Amino acid sequence: MRPIRLDMAGFTVFREETTVDFTDADFFALVGPTGSGKSTVLDAICFALYGTVPRWGGARGLANALAPSATEARVRLVFESANDRYVATRVVRRDGRGAVKTANAGLQLMPPGFDVTKLDTGLSPEDLGEVVAGTPAEMERAVLEAVGLPYEQFTSCVVLPQGQFADFLHAKPATRQQILVNLLGLGIYEDVQKRATERAGQAEAKLAAVDKMLGGLADVDDAALADAGQRVTRMRELAGAVAAAVPELEQARATAGERAAALAALDAELTVLAGVRPPDGIAELARAVAAARAAADEAATAVGLAEEREEKLRGELAGAGDESALRLLLKAHTDREKLTGELSTVRAAVDAAQVEHDRAAAALAEARAAAERAEVELEAAFRAHEEAKATDQAVALRAHLVDGAACPVCEQVVPRVPAVPRGSAVTRAIAAGKAARAASDAAKRVVQERDTAARELDRVLLRARTEHDQLQARLTELDGQLAGAATAETLRAALAEHARLRRALEEAAGAVRAGRDAARRARGALDGAEERLRRAWRDFDATRDGLARLGPPATDRDDVAAAWTALAGWAGEQAERRRGEREGLVGAVAAARAAAGEVETRIAGLFTAAGLDGADDPRRDAAVAVERAEAELRRLAERREQAAELREQRAGHEREARVARALAGHLRANNFERWLLAEALDLLVDGASGILRELSGGQYDLVHDKGEFFVVDHHDAGLRRGVRTLSGGETFQASLALALALSEQLAGMSTTAASLESIVLDEGFGTLDAATLDTVAATLENLAARGDRMVGVVTHVPALAERIPVRFEVRKDARTARVERTGR
């Protein structure tokens, strides 16, 4: 996998849109201060491919992808793998509840020669090529197929992030072995072993099926073919003999059929002639028709008389005057008499109400006068109360006076002080005022009660006068209606005559209806009798038409009974003559059938001799027998050819099963895969040992034993030490040597698309001394100089960065981080 272009927006520290163009950057460095975002560029590459980053701690750290306060992060990576160019895109968003989820993820195979600079023109996703994966779930398999490495191995061999640089060095043997299996594509041998086992099973199943089919073809030999050929010959001979006999049989059957048909026709004529008999009661039918016609005429006459009487009464009733007008006038007479009595009663009520009203008005006036007097007395009590208060004040002052002293009010000398009266004048005035108040309230209540009574009497008087006026107006209206009208007695007599005429008219109408019902019944009886007569003639005509081919005699159409008698006599004579002809025709039919039976017996003998059952259609059955014999002969020949073809197929299936079983046996138990892994690990350790020796100034060699890594310390008498005993700087040198060896050698050994076309290191250059740093830089320069690998480092060490031709400087301000390419 080789990155070509990386686009970020809203991703961690890269709040604004940022593009890193790796085109022609075969040897580059990501440089910048600590915390500027150098490692974030590698995080974006991992995230675009696998949806997570090592230092996030798995999928739960997805929220780390968003820049502070950002709601969306977008990462797009264009990369090459195995000569194909892909674009991977991932988008994460924060919803309204603060949850961060992957909103979009996809992998597309870009068309050959696609210019990545076109991405700056805002191309739509449809313009980027074929969609390989369109959902997060599809991305995992699609990226594995494109890159050839799962996430854990990608971060151990291609992009080596901080803190995981030594993972491959310290990995367990089984984990390291699985990494190499994926890198080298050695899983293909396990797949080949499974496919070979499946192929052997399929071939053996086909072999068993062919054996079963051959078992069903064991009866096909030369004797069976010869018997089938002889049967074809016999069936053809049978068909020839049957073809010669069938015309004779057909002629005999035709003769027998003709004679049987003649006998059947004669029997049919006898049956028809025997059935000619006059119907029962045919003689009485004409008399019944005449009686019904006379009854119908009599009923029609009675209806005419009843209708004449009804019309006469209807005219008399019309001349008796308008009954409704008479009833209205009589009602007006009755209403006037009633209204006259009611008017007298209402007039008396008006007079009485007027008297009561006058009394109430007088009582009301008297009560109002009494109330006025009580009010005057109440006002006098108020004045007396005021005077009493002045008197009591004067008396109170008098208690302090003595004879000959000056009055404190008028300042005059009082020769003699008057005696103080007993009791309080105010008390007496208050009592008198309360009595006056009670009298005034009582007088007002009387006025209110009498006023209410007077008002009620006003309403009663008004209602009585209104009713009187209405009755008087209605009486005047009735007088106008009755002006010049007849008296009530005359009107009652006219209405009685109307009732009499109506009753007579109803009786006449009932007689008309009864007469019409009787006429309808008589007409129905006549129609029934006439229909029976017509039906008798139709039956006669139908019987005679059925005998038309036999020439019946002419018919008298005036008398149906005579016509039936004449036809029955003629039919008896014809039947007697045909009975004499029948005996000879019966003998001829029997002789013709016997001749046909002889021919049928001879044909049945031919089928029996040929080993077949007799048949209803000899010619067809003989042809079918020939076809079946020929078909059996062809089937046996085809089965013989099929058996030969199956024997050839069996030999092929047997060879295929033997070869597949042998291949599966050779690949069983992963022996071949383990051998290849051991060879690959030897080559890897040899290459890494040479690089480590160069990096350590000849101090260390790298070796392995049963999958575990060791270093040989030449500065300590060749002591072999486990790699976990190395110091931090020594571990870095060993891990770098192993990573460079992976990139240098295993890509050439891989049998599949696992593509180690680049390596990016993000670890520990600041811990190296100057000499070791120089050695590391020289090693990286030599690796990049070969031109078949992209080599990248992440460092903030200026001495190392200055030796790398292409540098991506990462800077960060208060808002966002930026990347600028410098160098060549």
Side-chain angles (χ1 to χ4, degrees):
M1 194 285 294
R2 182 186 182 101
I4 302 298
R5 171 177 170 138
L6 177 66
D7 296 296
M8 299 172 288
F11 185 74
T12 68
V13 297
F14 292 97
R15 182 189 299 273
E16 297 179 353
E17 292 188 7
T18 303
T19 297
V20 183
D21 188 355
F22 294 103
T23 305
D24 300 329
D26 296 328
F27 187 23
F28 67 89
L30 285 164
V31 299
T34 301
S36 61
K38 302 186 296 299
S39 297
T40 303
V41 176
L42 304 188
D43 292 344
I45 293 175
C46 290
F47 179 72
L49 294 172
Y50 299 100
T52 187
V53 173
R55 55 180 175 166
W56 288 356
R60 293 184 179 179
L62 188 62
N64 295 320
L66 288 171
S69 74
T71 59
E72 179 180 274
R74 294 176 174 270
V75 178
R76 180 173 61 193
L77 174 66
V78 180
F79 66 94
E80 288 183 353
S81 182
N83 296 323
D84 287 323
R85 181 168 291 187
Y86 299 88
V87 56
T89 306
R90 285 189 189 266
V91 180
V92 296
R93 292 194 181 98
R94 179 184 288 111
D95 61 20
R97 294 176 294 181
V100 178
K101 298 180 181 179
T102 300
N104 183 30
L107 182 68
Q108 292 172 263
L109 177 61
M110 305 180 77
F114 184 87
D115 185 1
V116 296
T117 59
K118 292 182 179 180
L119 296 174
D120 298 324
T121 63
L123 293 176
S124 64
E126 293 77 9
D127 298 326
L128 299 182
E130 175 188 353
V131 176
V132 180
T135 65
E138 296 173 352
M139 280 288 284
E140 182 176 357
R141 177 177 294 276
V143 170
L144 179 60
E145 292 178 355
V147 177
L149 294 172
Y151 166 71
E152 293 79 5
Q153 297 165 21
F154 180 82
T155 55
S156 297
C157 302
V158 179
V159 175
L160 286 75
Q162 291 183 4
Q164 300 184 26
F165 191 63
D167 279 358
F168 187 81
L169 178 68
H170 293 155
K172 294 180 179 180
T175 303
R176 191 182 301 115
Q177 178 176 334
Q178 187 59 44
I179 292 174
L180 292 176
V181 167
N182 289 335
L183 286 173
L184 298 175
L186 299 184
I188 188 174
Y189 297 108
E190 183 178 352
D191 294 340
V192 170
Q193 191 271 335
K194 292 179 180 178
R195 293 288 299 276
T197 301
E198 293 175 0
R199 184 72 61 83
Q202 293 170 358
E204 289 169 354
K206 292 178 181 178
L207 185 61
V210 169
D211 287 341
K212 184 176 180 180
M213 294 173 67
L214 283 172
L217 299 175
D219 59 340
V220 181
D221 54 17
D222 293 340
L225 288 173
D227 290 343
Q230 292 175 3
R231 182 170 180 78
V232 169
T233 300
R234 290 197 304 273
M235 293 303 104
R236 288 174 178 170
E237 292 174 351
L238 171 64
V242 168
V246 164
E248 183 180 354
L249 175 62
E250 291 175 349
Q251 181 61 42
R253 285 178 174 174
T255 301
E258 291 173 0
R259 294 176 180 177
L263 178 60
L266 183 62
D267 287 341
E269 292 177 358
L270 284 171
T271 300
V272 172
L273 291 171
V276 178
R277 293 190 304 274
D280 296 336
I282 193 67
E284 292 79 10
L285 187 57
R287 292 193 294 274
V289 170
R293 184 174 289 110
D297 293 342
E298 183 179 354
T301 301
V303 168
L305 294 174
E307 289 176 346
E308 289 178 1
R309 174 170 172 72
E310 181 186 25
E311 289 299 322
K312 179 180 177 183
L313 289 172
R314 197 180 301 281
E316 292 178 357
L317 183 61
D322 187 355
E323 183 179 9
S324 298
L326 294 175
R327 290 186 180 279
L328 288 175
L329 290 174
L330 181 60
K331 183 177 182 302
H333 275 292
T334 304
D335 291 345
R336 187 180 186 288
E337 294 174 357
K338 181 179 178 181
L339 285 174
T340 301
E342 291 179 357
L343 186 60
S344 299
T345 301
V346 171
R347 185 176 293 111
V350 169
D351 294 342
Q354 184 64 49
V355 171
E356 290 295 327
H357 178 269
D358 294 343
R359 290 177 182 173
L364 177 61
E366 181 180 353
R368 285 174 176 170
E372 290 175 357
R373 290 193 299 272
E375 188 67 24
V376 170
E377 292 176 357
L378 179 60
E379 291 177 358
F382 284 156
R383 290 193 300 272
H385 178 261
E386 294 297 323
E387 293 174 356
K389 287 193 293 183
T391 301
D392 281 356
Q393 290 175 355
V395 170
L397 293 174
R398 189 183 305 173
H400 300 287
L401 294 177
V402 294
D403 294 341
C407 176
V409 176
C410 61
E411 296 181 351
Q412 293 181 5
V413 176
V414 179
R416 187 178 61 84
V417 179
V420 178
R422 295 181 178 181
S424 173
V426 173
T427 301
R428 290 190 297 272
I430 290 173
K434 289 181 178 180
R437 170 66 67 184
S440 176
D441 292 341
K444 288 179 179 179
R445 284 195 297 273
V446 171
V447 169
Q448 185 176 4
E449 291 172 358
R450 292 183 179 180
D451 183 66
T452 300
R455 291 178 184 276
E456 180 61 27
L457 289 174
D458 283 342
R459 288 192 292 272
V460 170
L461 179 61
L462 180 60
R463 285 197 298 270
R465 286 175 176 173
T466 301
E467 185 179 1
H468 178 272
D469 294 343
Q470 291 175 348
L471 290 174
Q472 185 64 50
R474 176 61 179 158
L475 186 61
T476 302
E477 181 182 356
L478 289 175
D479 288 340
Q481 292 179 0
L482 293 175
T487 63
E489 290 74 10
T490 302
L491 293 173
R492 290 189 183 93
L495 288 173
E497 179 63 14
H498 263 281
R500 185 189 69 77
L501 290 174
R502 184 174 289 103
R503 287 194 298 273
L505 179 61
E506 291 175 354
E507 292 174 358
V512 170
R513 288 193 295 273
R516 288 174 179 172
D517 290 340
R520 279 194 296 272
R521 289 193 295 272
R523 185 63 189 176
L526 175 60
D527 292 341
E530 290 178 343
E531 176 58 26
R532 289 193 296 276
L533 179 60
R534 288 191 294 271
R535 186 163 56 248
W537 277 112
R538 286 197 299 271
D539 293 344
F540 174 81
D541 292 339
T543 302
R544 189 177 185 283
D545 291 343
L547 301 172
R549 66 183 184 281
L550 304 180
T555 301
D556 182 5
R557 301 299 294 183
D558 295 331
D559 190 349
V560 67
W564 267 110
T565 300
L567 184 62
W570 173 83
E573 295 174 358
Q574 294 294 320
E576 187 63 28
R577 182 174 62 79
R578 282 169 174 73
R579 291 189 190 97
E581 298 175 356
R582 189 177 186 283
E583 294 181 2
L585 191 55
V586 169
V589 169
R593 288 177 176 171
E598 291 177 358
V599 180
E600 290 175 355
T601 301
R602 189 165 69 253
I603 292 175
L606 294 175
F607 277 92
T608 302
L612 300 174
D613 295 334
D616 296 334
D617 188 348
R619 183 178 292 167
R620 179 183 61 78
D621 292 339
V624 169
V626 172
E627 291 178 359
R628 288 177 178 173
E630 292 175 345
E632 179 64 17
L633 180 60
R634 289 193 301 271
R635 188 182 69 82
L636 290 175
E638 291 172 356
R639 284 166 61 83
R640 190 171 185 180
E641 294 176 0
Q642 183 182 5
E645 292 176 357
L646 288 174
R647 291 188 188 95
E648 293 179 1
Q649 293 178 13
R650 186 185 188 284
H653 294 325
E654 188 174 18
R655 288 192 303 271
E656 184 177 357
R658 187 168 56 253
V659 171
R661 283 296 177 194
L663 178 58
H666 291 314
L667 296 177
R668 187 175 292 112
N670 298 328
N671 292 330
F672 185 63
E673 181 180 306
R674 282 198 294 270
W675 177 80
L676 286 175
L677 283 173
E679 290 296 317
L681 190 57
D682 288 343
L683 290 174
L684 174 62
V685 171
D686 287 343
S689 182
I691 296 173
L692 179 59
R693 191 181 307 114
E694 183 179 357
L695 291 174
S696 64
Q699 180 178 359
Y700 295 116
D701 277 336
L702 185 66
V703 297
H704 74 96
D705 185 9
K706 296 179 181 179
E708 293 289 351
F709 286 156
F710 299 90
V711 293
V712 177
D713 190 349
H714 295 291
H715 291 180
D716 194 5
L719 177 66
R720 191 168 79 165
R721 298 162 50 191
V723 294
R724 294 187 182 275
T725 66
L726 298 176
S727 66
E730 293 169 340
T731 297
F732 175 78
Q733 291 179 346
S735 300
L736 177 59
L738 196 56
L740 293 177
L742 280 172
S743 178
E744 178 70 17
Q745 295 184 20
L746 291 185
M749 298 170 58
S750 176
T751 60
T752 64
S755 177
L756 299 181
E757 300 174 17
S758 60
I759 182 169
V760 183
L761 309 175
D762 184 10
E763 184 76 21
F765 295 107
T767 64
L768 303 178
D769 56 52
T772 304
L773 184 62
D774 183 68
T775 303
V776 169
T779 303
L780 294 175
E781 288 172 348
N782 292 335
L783 180 63
R786 297 181 54 176
D788 57 351
R789 298 289 187 275
M790 171 187 279
V791 179
V793 296
V794 177
T795 183
H796 58 272
V797 179
L800 178 59
E802 291 172 357
R803 298 182 59 172
I804 298 175
V806 178
R807 292 181 297 277
F808 294 97
E809 295 187 9
V810 183
R811 297 185 180 88
K812 181 182 177 184
D813 55 25
R815 174 168 177 77
T816 186
R818 295 178 175 82
V819 180
E820 180 180 357
R821 178 170 174 166
T822 62
R824 296 190 298 273

